[in-house]
Amino acid sequence: MWRVPRQLCVHFARGSRLSGPWNRPAAFMSTLLINQAQYAWLKELGLREENEGVYNGSWGGRGEVITTYCPANNEPIARVRQASVADYEETVKKAREAWRVWAEVPAPKRGEIVRQIGDALREKIQKLGSLVSLEMGKILVEGVGEVQEYVDICDYAVGLSRMIGGPILPSERPGHALIEQWNPVGLVGIITAFNFPVAVYGWNNAIAMICGNVCLWKGAPTTSLISVAVTKWCRCWTSVTAMAKDERVNLLSFTGSTQVGKQVALMVQERFGRSLLELGGNNAIIANVLYGPLHTKQAVSMFLGAVEEAKKEGGTVVYGGKVMTLSPVVTHFASLSEEEVFAWNNEVKQGLSSSIFTKDLGRIFRWLGPKGSDCGIVNVNIPTSGAEIGGAFGGEKHTGGGRESGSDAWKQYMRRSTCTINYSKDLPLAQGIKFQ
């Protein structure tokens, strides 16, 4: 049986301490949810009152200790010790060393390791899903579904590990072969956001691994326990700025806000590095009213701000508009013109996902065509939430242009070489050029 090098994938939990009511005095920490009987299942995931937030073959962490909270009741769950700069340097060094071993493992054997990761997630899918619900705030079925996405992409990656590769192209020169060779980029940095604390890492990690890369994961500080728990059960596992500027990170996959993503892109581009950006979305469709609590106080403030902005622009609050247990924002526009509706969809800066509900066959194909939706995900008669792992996931414009998960997204985790092999006794040049 093949075993993954212990330094193959590494993880940090790092971020700044939350301000305001999210900080609690030390005496309050005695009521950590992890110590309450109804949350005893957290310890079955390998979690403790204080958890080490760095894994690079062994667990550690010499940075600041943060506390994570349940957004439903604002109660503290547990604490996580984050990475220091020294932890980061040590981890990157170990990851680069691990890559020298991992890159030599045949792709189908790498797929076997990813299959084992999927099986490990299956064993704890209900408890991991419950943790996503508890720490991030999703309803339970969505929390479990997010872990299922990681399981599914592992299955997908196993098959892909026997299929990746380039074509053999016809050469214009006799006795020559023209081929495309695909090789891993090396070290892939993965920075994920709080809203999908498991699935986005899985999309990147599973595909990057079968392509022959090692991964460096930085999860969101407000979902640090999820990052730690996933790492413990996958057995694969500083700051955003450090990863973006580090030339040793060959590809940086960033999921987060457009504002931060723009800064990340500039820092990576400055060193001529590669970035894969999955940024803010603004989906055009009626919202699903099955919601969990908003994740942070900042999110609540943004909700109230959006309501006030809608009022200023002439909108009417039909129902709600105040801070409640559930508070989705549904914005409704009425129009009789297909052209106008399509224009509304496309006039925003984001371009992640969109959907139209219609039985008009002509309208369907106009919606999918060059004058239709300009989003990366264009649906018909289904909601914009959720996506199958077999297709590429990502958006256009300020959403970043990156693609993760299925289709040919694997190419972003590899570098392509066009190779010409001369097996003749002559040295002909391309385009028939002859030096006389």
Side-chain angles (χ1 to χ4, degrees), residues 209-369:
M209 283 183 66
I210 63 101
C211 289
N213 301 293
V214 295
C215 299
L216 181 67
W217 181 21
K218 180 203 171 295
T222 54
T223 52
S224 293
L225 293 176
I226 296 170
S227 301
V228 171
V230 168
T231 301
K232 284 181 178 289
W233 287 97
C234 289
R235 270 292 180 247
C236 61
W237 299 64
T238 214
S239 68
V240 174
T241 301
M243 294 176 73
K245 291 185 175 182
D246 196 335
E247 294 187 356
R248 296 169 296 180
V249 178
N250 304 98
L251 168 67
L252 182 60
S253 174
F254 174 83
T255 302
S257 69
T258 299
Q259 180 181 5
V260 177
K262 185 183 293 185
Q263 298 171 13
V264 169
L266 290 173
M267 286 186 284
V268 174
Q269 179 59 39
E270 192 174 52
R271 61 178 174 87
F272 291 99
R274 289 190 185 190
S275 62
L276 194 168
L277 303 177
E278 177 55 49
L279 309 177
N282 195 351
N283 301 351
I285 191 174
I286 294 176
N288 184 336
V289 296
L290 198 57
Y291 280 90
L294 294 176
H295 186 60
T296 62
K297 292 284 187 180
Q298 182 184 13
V300 174
S301 298
M302 291 174 66
F303 158 73
L304 294 173
V307 172
E308 291 305 314
E309 188 65 27
K311 290 179 181 178
K312 291 178 182 178
E313 295 183 6
T316 302
V317 178
V318 178
Y319 180 81
K322 299 178 180 179
V323 176
M324 302 173 64
T325 304
L326 300 177
S327 54
V329 177
V330 180
T331 305
H332 175 75
F333 297 93
S335 175
L336 298 177
S337 166
E338 174 185 292
E339 183 178 350
E340 183 179 38
V341 171
F342 286 10
W344 285 345
N345 177 82
N346 296 341
E347 69 183 10
V348 298
K349 293 180 178 180
Q350 298 83 8
L352 178 57
S353 182
S354 59
S355 184
I356 189 172
F357 282 79
T358 181
K359 293 183 179 180
D360 185 323
L361 191 61
R363 179 168 292 166
I364 289 174
F365 283 95
R366 288 191 293 273
W367 174 245
L368 302 178

Side-chain angles (χ1 to χ4, degrees), residues 2-5 8 95-110 164 181-187 208-215 250 413-415:
W2 286 80
R3 293 189 180 277
V4 62
L8 177 60
R96 298 290 297 183
E97 291 171 354
W99 178 78
R100 300 181 67 83
V101 177
W102 185 243
E104 294 294 328
V105 176
K109 299 300 183 182
R110 298 194 292 252
I164 55 175
Q181 176 71 25
W182 292 84
N183 288 300
V185 295
L187 175 57
M209 283 183 66
I210 63 101
C211 289
N213 301 293
V214 295
C215 299
N250 304 98
Y413 304 92
M414 306 194 81
R415 56 178 180 82

Side-chain angles (χ1 to χ4, degrees), residues 150-161:
Y150 195 171
V151 172
D152 290 345
I153 199 66
C154 285
D155 290 343
Y156 178 86
V158 173
L160 187 63
S161 69

Side-chain angles (χ1 to χ4, degrees), residues 45-60:
L45 292 174
L47 299 175
R48 305 175 298 188
E49 286 186 32
E50 184 168 313
N51 302 272
E52 295 167 315
V54 179
Y55 180 78
N56 55 21
S58 60
W59 286 96

